[in-house]
Amino acid sequence: MRDPYDVLGVPKNASQEAIKSAFRKLAKKLHPDANKQDKKAAAKFAELNAAYEILGEEAKRKAFDRGEIDAEGKPRFQGFEGFGAGADARARGFGQGGFGQGGGFESFTFGPEGFQRSTGRGGFAGGIDDILKGMFGGGGRGEHFAADDSAQATPGRDVTGAVTISLNEAAKGTTRRVQLPSGKEIDAKIPAGLADGQTIRLKGQGLPGAGGHVGDALITVSIAPHPLFERDGANLRLQLPVSLYEAVLGAKVRVPTLEGAVELAIPRGTNSGRTFRLKGKGMPGKDGRGDLYATVRIMLPERSEAELEELMRQWRDQKPYDPRKDMD
C-alpha cells in the first residue's frame, strides 16, 4: 500500500484537523456511489479508508511515524531486545558465556506466546549459539533449563485485530478479511447495525494453549466517516442544501439515503435550520430501524447576481423585518 500521507495528499506535519478535512474531501470525491462507472472506485475508496485508519488516530499515526507499524497497520519487526553487543549487551543482562549480572543465566524460547526470557542460577556452559538453538528448537544445551509444563492444561490466548468498514457496510452487514498479529487471516462476519469501536468475538480463532484449549479473536470494528451522513445512535443526520427560491416558494427535492435517493416536499417559507424526519431511513437498531434527519441549509448562488442584490435592497427598504428581535 502507498504511504498514507501520499494517499491523503497531506504533508507529514499536517494537523489532525487537516488530515480529517482532506479525508472528507477525498471521500466525497472517491465514494463508489459517486463513481459507479469507475471499476476501480471501490479499491481507491478502500485505500483512502485504510490511510485514514492510520493517520486519523493520533496513536496509530505516531506509531507509523516512528516506524513501528507499516502503511497497512501491521507491526514492523524490531528485532529481539537484549541481542546487543559489548557494553550494550551487558547492560541488558548479558555477560560472558550468556550469564547475567551476579552469575545468573538467561534462557530464551520462541513459540505461540511470542518471545520469552527466563532467568536462574547455576552452571551454564553454552553461549549465544546455544540460546538460539533453544529458541528455535535446535536441541541446544540451554534447553534443559526450560520447565516442561506440557502436562498442565492452560487456557488458549485471545488475539486482537482491527478492521475499518464503510457506513453502508455497517448498515447492511458485511464479511471482511482480517489479518491477525500472528499472521493468520480470517473472515470476520460483521452484523448490521454495529456501532463504531465495537468489538466482535470470533470463537476458537485465537492461539492454542496446552491441553487443546484455543483462545478467541477479538476484532474491533471502526466505521469510516461518511461524506454526507453523521451517525447518532441508530439515527442518521444530514445537512440538506436548498436554494433560496426553493425555500421561499417551496419545492420537491431529492434527499440521499443509504438505500438511494427519495423525494422530500419542502414547504414554502422554509427557514434554514428546519429539520425534516425521514422515518426508517437510518441504521438498524435494537428497537428497529432508526430515522434520517435532514436539516435545511439555504444556499445562495455561488456568483453574485445583480438582480438578486437589487431585489434584496428593495425588500430591505420597503419590507424590512428583524429576525433577531427576540434575542435582545
Side-chain angles (χ1 to χ4, degrees), residues 195-273:
D196 181 52
Q198 196 167 341
T199 298
I200 58 176
R201 180 182 291 269
L202 303 178
K203 289 285 188 181
Q205 296 292 344
L207 294 175
H213 300 290
V214 181
D216 303 329
L218 305 177
I219 309 299
T220 300
V221 180
S222 298
I223 301 175
H226 194 279
L228 299 177
F229 304 111
E230 289 190 6
R231 189 170 179 180
D232 182 11
N235 299 321
L236 295 175
R237 296 191 177 276
L238 167 73
Q239 296 292 318
L240 180 64
V242 299
S243 65
L244 180 61
Y245 54 81
E246 287 173 329
V248 173
L249 303 176
K252 290 184 178 180
V253 300
R254 291 179 65 78
V255 180
T257 76
L258 291 177
E259 301 169 336
V262 297
E263 199 170 70
L264 173 67
I266 301 292
R268 64 180 182 178
T270 293
N271 284 318
S272 188

Side-chain angles (χ1 to χ4, degrees), residues 36-248:
K36 295 182 179 179
Q37 304 301 322
D38 186 357
K39 295 181 180 180
K40 297 181 179 180
K44 293 176 183 177
F45 192 69
E47 182 183 47
L48 179 65
N49 281 334
Y52 186 69
E53 184 180 355
I54 298 293
L55 302 186
E57 295 184 22
E58 192 169 355
K60 284 187 179 180
R61 180 185 178 185
K62 289 180 178 178
F64 174 77
D65 290 343
R66 291 193 299 265
E68 296 172 1
I69 60 175
D70 62 17
E72 296 180 359
K74 300 175 185 176
R76 294 182 186 273
F77 181 73
Q78 300 292 332
F80 295 126
E81 181 180 355
F83 280 79
D88 183 64
R90 287 190 292 275
R92 299 176 182 266
F94 288 94
Q96 296 292 331
F99 281 87
Q101 295 178 354
F105 64 83
E106 297 182 345
S107 62
F108 300 82
T109 57
F110 188 79
E113 299 297 325
F115 185 67
Q116 304 290 326
R117 179 173 67 179
S118 59
T119 62
R121 311 284 296 181
F124 184 75
I128 293 295
D129 288 342
D130 288 323
I131 295 175
L132 291 173
K133 289 178 182 178
M135 286 171 57
F136 297 105
R141 286 172 289 177
E143 284 185 311
H144 65 279
F145 290 105
D148 181 11
D149 59 355
S150 59
Q152 260 187 335
T154 57
R157 189 161 67 106
D158 292 342
V159 296
T160 59
V163 65
T164 299
I165 62 176
S166 68
L167 186 65
N168 299 68
E169 291 174 321
K172 299 176 182 178
T174 187
T175 299
R176 294 293 291 273
R177 194 78 171 167
V178 182
Q179 185 171 42
L180 302 177
S182 61
K184 178 181 179 181
E185 291 188 348
I186 59 175
D187 288 322
K189 186 176 181 180
I190 301 171
L194 204 67
D196 181 52
Q198 196 167 341
T199 298
I200 58 176
R201 180 182 291 269
L202 303 178
K203 289 285 188 181
Q205 296 292 344
L207 294 175
H213 300 290
V214 181
D216 303 329
L218 305 177
I219 309 299
T220 300
V221 180
S222 298
I223 301 175
H226 194 279
L228 299 177
F229 304 111
E230 289 190 6
R231 189 170 179 180
D232 182 11
N235 299 321
L236 295 175
R237 296 191 177 276
L238 167 73
Q239 296 292 318
L240 180 64
V242 299
S243 65
L244 180 61
Y245 54 81
E246 287 173 329
V248 173

